[in-house]
Amino acid sequence: QGWHADMSYSHDIALANILHAQEVPQRDGKPLGDTQFLNMHAAYEDLPADLKTRLAGRTATHDFAKFWDMMRARPGNTRPPLTDEQRAKKPPGQQPTFRTHPITGRYVLYCNPGYAMRIDGMEEGESADLLDFLFRHQSQEKFLHAHHWTRGDVLMWDNIGTTHNAVADYREDEPRYMRRVQ
């Protein structure tokens, strides 16, 4: 799917997600369709001090259409473009680039490649360069955890302190079915 934090484009963001594995694809005895997570507490803490100062108090525009269009551009995808009505229901929104986590009280990097479009108040080129850096920084393996699913697993995660990605390493004839609560 691509790295994202659910609903970061919304005024009311998601705190936690729960998935319950109903069907997990397997090939050669190995589960497929991992859910990967990146730790945004650690990603923030590992940023250079000058960048933390430079981006302190800044917001970034997040847009649902960015993720939708990225999915549409993938080979074989049949998603239609968003209608004007769909677009109006999920308009772009601004989020702090560094957000105070409501439970831990620590800063997290809250700027994900799935929805973040630009850092507000910056020239386009500067914003694009900084987003590129932030996205590469947060995707380092040292921040990564992958959950290898087993049928019946229930997994709950912190949607503010992480970004996540579903690995699409299974075929259409290898069903992966999860029930989700947010």
Side-chain angles (χ1 to χ4, degrees):
Q1 288 186 349
W3 292 102
H4 65 286
D6 290 350
M7 298 176 59
S8 69
Y9 52 85
S10 297
H11 178 267
D12 297 321
I13 60 173
L15 173 62
N17 291 334
I18 301 171
L19 286 180
H20 182 203
Q22 305 293 299
E23 289 186 56
V24 177
Q26 291 202 10
R27 191 177 312 138
D28 301 323
K30 178 186 170 207
L32 304 171
D34 288 359
T35 300
Q36 301 174 319
F37 300 93
L38 293 170
N39 182 332
M40 294 297 104
H41 283 90
Y44 170 80
E45 291 165 5
D46 196 50
L47 283 170
D50 63 326
L51 188 57
K52 289 178 185 177
T53 300
R54 187 174 172 196
L55 292 176
R58 292 248 184 211
T59 61
T61 296
H62 293 237
D63 192 347
F64 175 77
K66 177 184 181 185
F67 192 82
W68 186 268
D69 290 343
M70 284 190 309
M71 297 300 289
R72 286 190 67 233
R74 296 207 171 151
N77 195 294
T78 59
R79 288 178 188 223
L82 290 173
T83 65
D84 290 341
E85 181 181 347
Q86 289 170 318
R87 189 82 178 101
K89 287 181 180 178
K90 294 183 180 184
Q94 282 71 41
Q95 296 292 345
T97 303
F98 305 143
R99 140 173 261 124
T100 302
H101 193 283
I103 296 173
T104 67
R106 295 168 39 213
Y107 280 117
V108 297
L109 173 55
Y110 197 75
C111 195
N112 66 78
Y115 297 117
M117 299 288 292
R118 69 181 163 281
I119 298 174
D120 302 320
M122 290 188 167
E123 292 184 19
E124 191 62 37
E126 180 184 19
S127 170
D129 289 346
L130 282 171
L131 286 177
D132 179 62
F133 175 82
L134 292 173
F135 298 158
R136 282 185 293 112
H137 172 77
Q138 67 187 254
S139 66
Q140 294 178 72
E141 192 169 330
K142 64 184 174 181
F143 305 133
L144 177 70
H145 169 75
H147 181 75
H148 311 293
W149 289 99
T150 301
R151 186 176 183 190
D153 282 357
V154 176
L155 180 68
M156 179 178 182
W157 71 90
D158 173 1
N159 190 64
I160 295 173
T162 63
T163 59
H164 60 278
N165 174 50
V167 178
D169 59 352
Y170 50 94
R171 299 182 307 256
E172 198 173 305
D173 65 334
E174 298 171 312
R176 179 184 187 267
Y177 177 59
M178 305 282 168
R179 291 195 179 193
R180 176 177 171 256
V181 176
Q182 186 172 61

